[in-house]
Each structure stands twice: as structure tokens, then as C-alpha cells.
Amino acid sequence: MTRLCVPIFVTEIARAKRDIATAIEAGAEIVELRIDGNPSTEAVLSLIAGPRVPFIVTCRSTDEGGNCTLSAIQRLELLRNIASRTSSMVDVELATLHELSATAQPLPSELIISSHDFNGRPARLHNLILEMNEQPATVNKIVWTARSIRDNIEAFEILRTRQRPTIALCMGEHGLISRILARKFGAFLTFASLDRERETAPGQVLIADMKSLFRWDFLSQKTKVYGVVGSPVSHSMSPVIHNAAFEDTGFDGIYLPLLVNPGYESFKAFMESFLGFGALDLRGLSITIPHKENALRYLSEKSAELDPLAVRIGAVNTIAIERDDNAIPGLRGLNTDYSAILDSITERLGIRRENLVGCRIAVIGAGGTGRTAVAALASCGATVVVYNRTRERAAALAAEFDGKSGHVVAASLEKICDSCCQMYINTTSIGMHPSTNASPFGPLPPKLGPDTLVFDAVYNPMRTLMIRQAEEANAKTVTGVEMFVRQAAAQFEAWTHLPAPIERMKRVLKDRLGAGENSEPKSG
Ligand code: NAP
């Protein structure tokens, strides 16, 4: 069973003792003591003597990302001494053993032999593993900085073909999933940090997130994989609500942030390598900026099943992947933003989609979300006025959807306060954290009242200035949280064929946003 290891830099002994206790309390199953700063051996032994948790002792050379300035032989002597007086494992770099050659013998019996490359994938990756296999070690450890998300697949392959217990991890944001899915592929351990300040390598996940957000205790070889594809993606709220939904329903899935560089070629390369690696069991993807159009193009090229609404909007935000043993995966592209917008409105007003015929609705913004809102509302027969900062973009959008059931016209954003609509839908980022004092209405909203609906797609903060202006005028409101949860719930249902636990998803999102409100920007 893959263990969760918390690395601790030993600088001051009392602090290290506290950190070890905190790590164990947080769920660490093994602790790595980084003694790069060369504390006294007796002090290190005193740390190991206390808690009943296995230890790894590491004295990392500067060549491989550590701070230790001792010579190779001094480092090895130090670790030999500790190994001979405890049952701890020690970590020695392959390069150190090469440097010391015969003088390295005899080696400590509980040895992790390691190789780290902070600059990227080592050119000799597979030779390094062969060389490690020739050494009398207990565990191989190979770590490198991922250049793209595809490097993770190579780390998983190394784990699948291991000849002895192995740690194979990718560093950096692109490598995040290798740290979480280490358990699925049977790694000896994965590292998680106590907090951001105490990361020992770039991209380590916090142990608290590993345990709760990424469901560490429930991961197994059989766990199905899902994720949000985007760039940037690290602050996406999608993992929060989807993993909560998996937990709530007992569904054996894990949902991950998947950082895929902008551009069609990057998207296509990601899809080909991740779909082609069957052991991953990739089952579903949420697609966010800047890949929604790329997803539509990729699925069209593959002649995949496409939701006509996604084709009409020109964007896919959801891919469902059906897998039968030995078969090429079946792909289906959807757009769940579309129904999330319509359902958020109709449910709030207690009406049906047919009742939108002839309604006069202002859509503010002509980007991806604006386009989806216009397509959705026009298809229901509404009269839509598109207000956008760049007037030409609004005009192009209006021309594209005008007459497709509803009527669509364009207007300048400065005119919004003169307008007289039954609904106002903000699809711009105006009012989003950190610019929380901004509203697309400006300081003076148009005439709002109990019969007006104001819908802000921005969900961080949850109550934007636009929503507060609407509340002051006693208008009805719909927040971005409502839309976000609905589009995610439809994704969950498309992937799992189970009813989505909407209330739980909403609660967990509100809790996260409430806790972090006004701290970091979030993306979809
Ligand atoms: P997008 O494609 O980049 O479009 C951005 C739109 O905002 C454009 O119309 C742009 O106008 C306008 N805009 C940006 N900054 C502006 C400013 N300072 N003043 C006036 N207009 C400005 O982005 P998107 O994907 O549609 O996302 C837009 C917003 O919707 C984001 O806040 C996002 O978080 C939110 N969203 C929410 C959900 C949800 O489920 N709640 C889902 C998706 C998106 P120009 O054309 O003039 O550049």
C-alpha cells in the first residue's frame, strides 16, 4: 500500500519534533527527515526514537536540489551511522554512489537509491532505472520536473513495470497528478507537505488536501479518473465539488486539476496520450479556458458523438468517456453551461423554458460564457440585447444568433443603465475578485425592481456588487454559485449515471469560497 510521507527539514530540533507530531496527526504514514543542515547525529537519533512511525533520513546534495555541503563520503558516513543505530531507511543519490564507486561499500541495508532532475526529464531516464536496479537497494526513487502533463504517464509506466518498490514522481504544477495517483499505480510512497512554506520540492500537495480534497484513503488501482482540463487550473473549484460528489455517493472516482498548455496541439497531444494509457482509466473531463473550442475540434476530428447544442455554441465543456474492455474509448462531447444557465433562470422564476419566449434579456459580455447565454436564451425565443465593451464582438455574436428562434441585437456597454430589460445577466469578469468593488452596472444600475432578475455568473465573491445592487432594489437574484453547481452536477450525471448530490456540492463550494473569500481568484 502506497504510504503518505511528510518531509521535514531539520533545522531546529524542538521545531522538528513539533512538525513530526503535526505530520502524524495529519495522517503521515512515514516521515522523511531532511538533515541537509547537518544537525548532530545524536539530535537526529532523538527525533527518530520518539514517535512510532517509520522514518527516512536524507541528506540531499546541492547537485540534486538539497542544501548539504558535506562531501559525498561524509554524507554517506553520516547516513551509515544513523542506519546502523536505527531501523530507519536512508536515501542516497545514485550519482553519489557512482562518485564513490567501491568506497561506497558496504551500503546501508534499508536503502532508497534516488535521482532528481530539477531541470526536466533526464535524457537517460530509463538507463537510470536500469542502473538503480543493479544496486543493492530496497527502493528506487526517480523524480524529475515535468515539462508537460504527459510526463506523468511516463512516471506511471515506470511504476507499472517496476522490479522493486519504486517512487516515481514529477515535480512542478504539471506533475501534480503523479503525486496523487501514485497510490493507484502502487508507488512505495508519495510526498505531501505540512504547509506551503515547508515544501521540499515544487508541486507538493498539502497533506490536508491530499487526505480530504483528493480522497487519499479511498484511492485504489480501480479508481476511475476525472479532471478539469485548462490553463491556468490550479485554483479551479471543480475538484472541490466533484470529489465531494464522489464521496457523497460512494462512487469510486478521483477528480484532478489537469494543466494542459494553451493551443490545439497541446490539447490533442494530451488527449491522445491520456486516452491511450488504458491503465489510467480516464472516464470524464471538464473543459475550461482556453480549451473549450479545442475540445470541440478534437471531438469533431475523431467523429465523436457531439451534443448539437455544443456544436451550435462552438464550445464543449464536458467530455464523457465510455470504456469497454479492449475497446477504443467512446467519446461524447457536451455543453452543460447551456442548461445550467437556463435552469438557474427558470427555477428561480418558477417558469418553464417556453415562458422565455419574447422576454427581453440583457446579456453583458460576449466571451465564452456570453456566447453560451446568448445561444441558450435565443434558442428559447427570448429577445436578447448583447452589451459588450468591444462593441464589434457583441455585433458579431448578435448577427450569428439573431433569428435562430429569438431576436438578438448588440449594444454598447456604456448604454446598459439606459436599458429596460426583464433580466440582466453578467458574463464578464467585472466584479470578480480582486476587483470586488466593480459592477457591470457601474454606480447607477438600470431600473430594477421585484419583477427584474439579476444573474451574475461571477462566483468569487459569492455576493458580488452587482448582486448587492439588485438586492437593494428588491430584484430577484441568481449567483454564479448556482450556475457553477448546476453545470458540474450535469457533468457528474453524464459520467456516473447517478443523481448528483446537488446540495452537498453547493455546500462544499460555498464553504470553500467562504473560507477563501477575497483571497485568490478562481477559474471554472
Ligand atoms: P471570456 O471568454 O474571456 O470573456 C470575457 C468577457 O468579459 C468579454 O466579453 C470581455 O469583453 C469582458 N470583459 C473582461 N474584462 C472586462 C472589463 N474590465 N470591462 C468590461 N468588460 C470586460 O471569459 P468567460 O469564460 O466567458 O468568463 C467570464 C466570467 O464568467 C468569468 O468571471 C468567469 O468566472 C465566469 N464564469 C462563471 C461560470 C459559472 O459556472 N458560474 C462558468 C464560466 C464562467 P471584451 O470582448 O471587450 O474583451
Side-chain angles (χ1 to χ4, degrees), residues 45-62:
L45 294 176
S46 77
L47 290 177
I48 294 172
R52 262 185 256 125
V53 68
F55 282 91
I56 298 169
V57 185
T58 303
C59 187
R60 184 71 69 228
S61 70
T62 47

Side-chain angles (χ1 to χ4, degrees), residues 289 292 337 365-370 388-390 393 413 426-430 432 456-459 480-481 483-485 487 522-524:
I289 296 172
K292 289 183 185 179
D337 286 336
T369 313
N388 196 47
R389 176 177 61 182
T390 311
R393 214 172 164 195
L413 187 53
N426 176 38
T427 68
T428 73
S429 47
I430 302 173
M432 190 167 95
D456 197 343
V458 172
Y459 60 85
V481 166
M483 175 184 167
F484 190 70
V485 170
Q487 60 81 30
K522 309 287 187 293
S523 59

Side-chain angles (χ1 to χ4, degrees), residues 260-281:
V260 175
N261 293 334
Y264 182 65
E265 290 311 318
S266 296
F267 182 81
K268 183 176 176 182
F270 158 77
M271 290 299 288
E272 300 284 302
S273 62
F274 274 58
L275 288 174
F277 185 58
L280 185 65
D281 205 3

Side-chain angles (χ1 to χ4, degrees), residues 384-388 390-399 408-412:
V384 184
V385 189
V386 189
Y387 292 90
N388 196 47
T390 311
R391 171 74 196 257
E392 304 77 60
R393 214 172 164 195
L397 184 57
V408 187
V409 294
S412 294

Side-chain angles (χ1 to χ4, degrees), residues 30-31 33 44-45 47-49 53-58 79-80 82-91 108-112:
I30 188 162
V31 170
L33 296 181
V44 175
L45 294 176
L47 290 177
I48 294 172
V53 68
F55 282 91
I56 298 169
V57 185
T58 303
L79 294 175
R80 255 194 207 129
I82 292 169
S84 69
R85 297 170 67 186
T86 67
S87 57
S88 300
M89 302 190 88
V90 294
D91 176 321
S109 57
E110 291 295 303
L111 176 68
I112 297 177

